[in-house]
Amino acid sequence: MFLTPRRARRLSAAGLAASGLLLASACTAGSSGGADSGPKADARQTIEVWHGWSADHEVKAFDDAVAGFRKLHPNITVKLVKDQTDDRITNAIRGGNPPDVVSSFSTDSVGSWCNSGAWQDLTPYLTKSKVDLNMFPQAVRQYTEYKGRRCAMPLLADAYGLYYNKALMKGNQPPKTIGELTALAKKLTVRDPDGTIKVAGFMPSAQYYEHQVQHLATEFGAKWLTPDGRSNFAADPAFKAYLQWNKSLIDWYGYANVKKFLKSLGQEFETSNPFEQGRVAMAVDGEWRTKFLQDEAPKVDYGTAPAPVPDDQTARYGGGFVTGTVIGIPRGAKHPQAAWEFVKYLTTDTHALVTFANGLGNVPSTLPALASPELKMPPQFQTFLDVFKNPNSATTPPTPNGNDYVVKFQAFTQDQWEPGRVPDLDRALKDLDTRVDQAIKLNGG
């Protein structure tokens, strides 16, 4: 997706965690509303909708998607307010003067929104409208609810896969297993005599753009939380397997060479991106990169494929990490009935979703929209449509304190593990579990 502001906000993991904590402790003003409160949906009224998109083409795409709703409900005037952040949404809810509909790029905060009641439970609306949730893939249903309380609906999605530069691949096929990825990464790497990395076959560091822990550990089948919502780092061997693979390839490059390479890179969302510059042969990235490559590096001949999985988990190949934008009705909304009609339309109407997806270069978030002939994307985009609907795809589960557990694991990986400062990995993961569990407990988990 051609959304630098959106990606920057989502990638600020610490900021998202802090936002989640703020949401959990705020939002005490205003009534909860409900499926039978406020003016009826057929009454003449104006609803205010806050969203985070800000660039001209983004705002136009949202407006185009809403056009069908305006025709369907001429009595409801829709006022769209762009460039809204989670903090602004939180402050409005806490102050008792929220808009009628809110949208966020941060699925990590769903747990705190649902747990605190900041966003209304949509179950009564869904039941009354007879919405079939099976139109959404399982991972999507997971990141829009917390402990049975569904306070959000999905609005477009992001899926992750493997990008590969065909010229740099030198005729090799994209790897399907971690073993194949490792061998090919070494084969395709080009160095100067002093070890300086000129072209990285694959950069394993969690500090490399989209190679953050949640995107790569997911490929190892990692289960972030236990069924009762506790940290699972020490008990799940997938985390140890991911870390050991990460460190082994970093050590092959040499940590000093990795740090030097990372410092030499340009901005992720500018033309200096190393994949677009031919400095990286393979990289895990989201579907929006197809739009960047089309606009910024049209001469790069590239392909896409699902990200590799461990050699002993080949049955899981085809899945990947998924996440997305969410939309809901805040506590204190003045027109909840009309707000629900808007949310339902925008998240379940195939034409609206496809119109929005085409405008932004995102994955539409329902199975019917994925199969729509109206969807117009480059051939490389098909990988992400397939990943999104694959039953082996997964996401990070919500908690009452946002993505704090991901933030802690990311910090551990890049600041302690990769530099070689962890003498006892098993003990370190147990300590990490303790810290994560304490934070969850403090926030009502």
Side-chain angles (χ1 to χ4, degrees), residues 135-162:
M135 72 170 63
F136 304 103
Q138 182 178 356
V140 174
R141 298 198 298 271
Q142 182 183 3
Y143 68 63
T144 49
E145 71 168 351
Y146 179 66
K147 290 187 175 180
R149 183 183 177 94
R150 184 172 301 283
C151 68
M153 291 285 282
L155 178 60
L156 300 190
D158 293 326
Y160 286 74
L162 184 75

Side-chain angles (χ1 to χ4, degrees), residues 266-340:
Q267 295 296 315
E268 180 179 1
F269 300 104
E270 295 181 3
T271 55
S272 55
N273 181 284
F275 185 82
E276 296 180 19
Q277 292 293 315
R279 297 190 62 198
V280 172
M282 299 176 290
V284 170
D285 210 335
E287 82 290 338
W288 61 85
R289 183 60 54 191
T290 60
K291 180 68 171 175
F292 277 88
L293 286 160
Q294 176 183 318
D295 294 343
E296 298 177 351
K299 294 183 179 180
V300 173
D301 186 12
Y302 74 98
T304 62
V309 296
D311 296 54
D312 60 351
Q313 299 180 35
T314 54
R316 291 183 48 253
Y317 181 73
F321 184 82
V322 298
T323 186
T325 301
V326 291
I327 189 169
I329 304 172
R331 167 187 273 173
K334 297 178 180 64
H335 307 92
Q337 292 297 308
W340 167 246

Side-chain angles (χ1 to χ4, degrees), residues 234 240 412 422-434:
K240 192 173 182 178
F412 166 78
V422 181
D424 187 334
L425 179 56
D426 291 325
R427 180 171 180 175
L429 292 177
K430 289 179 181 178
D431 290 343
L432 186 60
D433 282 335
T434 299

Side-chain angles (χ1 to χ4, degrees), residues 11-64:
L11 292 173
S12 178
L16 294 179
S19 176
L21 293 172
L22 177 61
L23 280 162
S25 61
C27 311
T28 58
S31 64
S32 60
D36 296 309
S37 64
K40 294 186 179 297
D42 58 359
R44 186 163 296 280
Q45 57 200 295
T46 297
I47 61 171
E48 190 165 299
V49 179
W50 286 11
H51 65 81
W53 288 282
S54 58
D56 289 344
H57 76 281
E58 299 168 359
V59 173
K60 182 181 184 302
F62 196 97
D63 198 59
D64 289 346

Side-chain angles (χ1 to χ4, degrees), residues 32-38 100 119-131 150-151 153 328-330 333 335-341 343-344:
S32 60
D36 296 309
S37 64
D100 298 289
W119 286 26
Q120 294 183 30
D121 186 356
L122 299 180
T123 302
Y125 297 100
L126 289 160
T127 301
K128 192 172 183 178
S129 298
K130 298 180 180 179
V131 173
R150 184 172 301 283
C151 68
M153 291 285 282
I329 304 172
H335 307 92
Q337 292 297 308
W340 167 246
E341 291 299 326
V343 169
K344 181 181 69 172

Side-chain angles (χ1 to χ4, degrees), residues 192-240:
D192 286 333
D194 65 356
T196 298
I197 304 168
K198 293 181 63 177
V199 176
F202 183 89
M203 177 48 60
S205 175
Q207 300 172 68
Y208 177 82
Y209 302 140
E210 298 297 330
H211 291 183
Q212 298 170 63
V213 292
Q214 67 268 42
H215 303 155
L216 294 191
T218 295
E219 293 306 314
F220 285 76
K223 304 296 183 186
W224 297 86
L225 303 175
T226 62
D228 60 350
R230 299 305 172 193
S231 183
N232 202 33
F233 293 123
D236 186 351
F239 289 104
K240 192 173 182 178

